[in-house]
Amino acid sequence: MYKVKPFYDADVAISTPTNMYKIQNLHQAEKGVSIMDDMGDLDPVAALERRQEVILQRLRGLETVLQGLKDTYKTSAMPPNSSGSKSVKRSTGKPVDLGDGVLDLVISADPDQVPYSIFVMFQLLQEKFRVRGSTHVHSSVTSKCATNLFPSGDGRSDYQIILTLIWKKVPNGPELMVNPSKQSAIQGEVNIVRYIRRLLDSTAEAEDPATMATCDEVLDLVQLRIIDGNNKERDSALRTLNSRLGRTSWLVGDSVSSADIAAWSGINQCKLSADLPGNVKKWFKACDNNIMFQAARRVLL
């Protein structure tokens, strides 16, 4: 490689190699043959054609692997259309199979920050399950709270879901507990909405992942910039919602979604309804007039 002046004279003959070591070619084709192997004697055009053949052969192998994954996971051959048009495949709305037991949903919430979305989700649960709701007041709450927020019901055995709302001083927003022995509390209003959404439709995220991702994006905006945000962040979030509602009547898709429910709740909770941008004001009025929001409206009154 190069010569340096020896530190001492010696009569021993040392042969200097032309390279330090050999490494395996990283660009390997199938059967361990390098793409560039056997191309030394070819003209540039023939070498390029040979390289193209090897690349196409590898692409066909990848296509076979992807087809196997598609068959295994039963995915669509075409990606979902995320443009918001009516050609998007909508979920069939298959609820979770709860079996023969009773599912307890225990939600702790601060009466000074009412999670109005819970009452809307309760009404949606009633459409697909036998649901009973009840309200209690924890000793940490000294103010008077409404406790007759859900219709009365019979014994536990007559229902599939028992939703219990406990008015309680919780520092980090509402908390949902399903099974204390197997989980930690689910914190945050929009995360509770996500959980109940999965109960209502267990297949939505697999059948329409693009729409569900957009819905989760709006839910995060509601939680971080409206419910937990300062005045500047709330104004920015309302401008974002206003821009989105300039293209569609609802925040995600062509009908009411969990994103609309959480956003409507956040605006009411933060008392922002008096000064809304034009598109948001129109959407907010449509929510108020929608039958899905009737139970939550009674809590507001």
Side-chain angles (χ1 to χ4, degrees):
M1 295 177 64
Y2 51 84
K3 293 182 179 180
V4 296
K5 185 178 179 180
F7 288 100
Y8 56 87
D9 295 330
D11 296 332
V12 180
I14 300 175
S15 60
T16 304
T18 57
N19 63 321
M20 296 181 65
Y21 50 83
K22 292 183 178 180
I23 62 173
Q24 184 181 6
N25 193 328
L26 298 178
H27 306 282
Q28 298 292 324
E30 292 187 5
K31 298 181 181 179
V33 179
S34 169
I35 292 177
M36 299 306 296
D37 285 352
D38 301 329
M39 294 187 184
D41 298 333
L42 299 177
D43 63 85
V45 176
L48 183 61
E49 291 177 349
R50 169 60 180 160
R51 184 178 180 183
Q52 183 180 12
E53 289 177 5
V54 174
I55 293 174
L56 290 175
Q57 187 178 2
R58 297 180 66 184
L59 289 175
R60 284 191 290 271
L62 289 174
E63 185 179 10
T64 303
V65 173
L66 290 174
Q67 182 63 38
L69 292 173
K70 172 180 172 292
D71 295 338
T72 300
Y73 295 102
K74 310 297 183 184
T75 58
S76 172
M78 296 297 294
N81 181 1
S82 59
S83 62
S85 66
K86 293 186 178 180
S87 63
V88 175
K89 181 182 178 183
R90 304 303 300 174
S91 170
T92 56
K94 182 179 179 181
V96 170
D97 183 6
L98 299 179
D100 298 329
V102 177
L103 179 65
D104 275 292
L105 304 180
V106 180
I107 299 175
S108 301
D110 192 330
D112 294 331
Q113 295 178 314
V114 179
Y116 299 104
S117 61
I118 304 304
F119 301 96
V120 183
M121 301 305 287
F122 177 83
Q123 188 168 333
L124 293 178
L125 285 172
Q126 285 184 310
E127 296 176 1
K128 296 189 176 183
F129 301 99
R130 300 188 306 276
V131 188
R132 190 188 77 179
S134 62
T135 312
H136 306 276
V137 181
H138 190 264
S139 58
S140 61
V141 177
T142 57
S143 58
K144 186 177 180 180
C145 301
T147 56
N148 57 343
L149 301 176
F150 300 103
S152 59
D154 301 322
R156 287 176 56 88
S157 60
D158 296 328
Y159 298 93
Q160 295 173 287
I161 298 177
I162 305 294
L163 190 150
T164 304
L165 175 62
I166 302 176
W167 295 124
K168 180 181 178 180
K169 289 297 182 180
V170 282
N172 299 315
E175 297 179 350
L176 167 63
M177 182 61 69
V178 180
N179 190 331
S181 64
K182 295 183 179 180
Q183 66 154 114
S184 57
I186 298 174
Q187 293 188 331
E189 182 175 351
V190 303
N191 291 327
I192 297 175
V193 169
R194 284 187 175 105
Y195 180 86
I196 299 178
R197 181 184 72 188
R198 289 174 174 85
L199 289 180
L200 292 166
D201 191 350
S202 61
T203 61
E205 294 185 1
E207 293 185 0
D208 197 358
T211 300
M212 291 299 99
T214 303
C215 188
D216 283 332
E217 179 184 350
V218 177
L219 288 174
D220 287 338
L221 180 141
V222 171
Q223 183 69 55
L224 299 175
R225 294 167 58 184
I226 294 182
I227 296 177
D228 296 336
N230 54 36
N231 291 335
K232 184 177 180 180
E233 291 170 333
R234 288 170 179 168
D235 290 341
S236 174
L238 290 176
R239 287 195 297 270
T240 301
L241 297 181
N242 192 64
S243 175
R244 180 180 293 275
L245 291 167
R247 303 186 297 270
T248 59
S249 299
W250 302 102
L251 290 175
V252 180
D254 53 6
S255 60
V256 177
S257 68
S258 56
D260 298 284
I261 296 170
W264 179 84
S265 173
I267 289 173
N268 277 308
Q269 187 180 136
C270 299
K271 297 178 173 57
L272 303 175
S273 58
D275 188 19
L276 295 174
N279 295 330
V280 179
K281 182 180 293 185
K282 181 180 177 181
W283 160 86
F284 189 80
K285 185 177 180 180
C287 290
D288 281 344
N289 295 331
N290 193 290
I291 191 172
M292 291 173 55
F293 296 83
Q294 285 184 351
R297 290 283 304 165
R298 288 196 294 269
V299 180
L300 278 168
L301 296 177

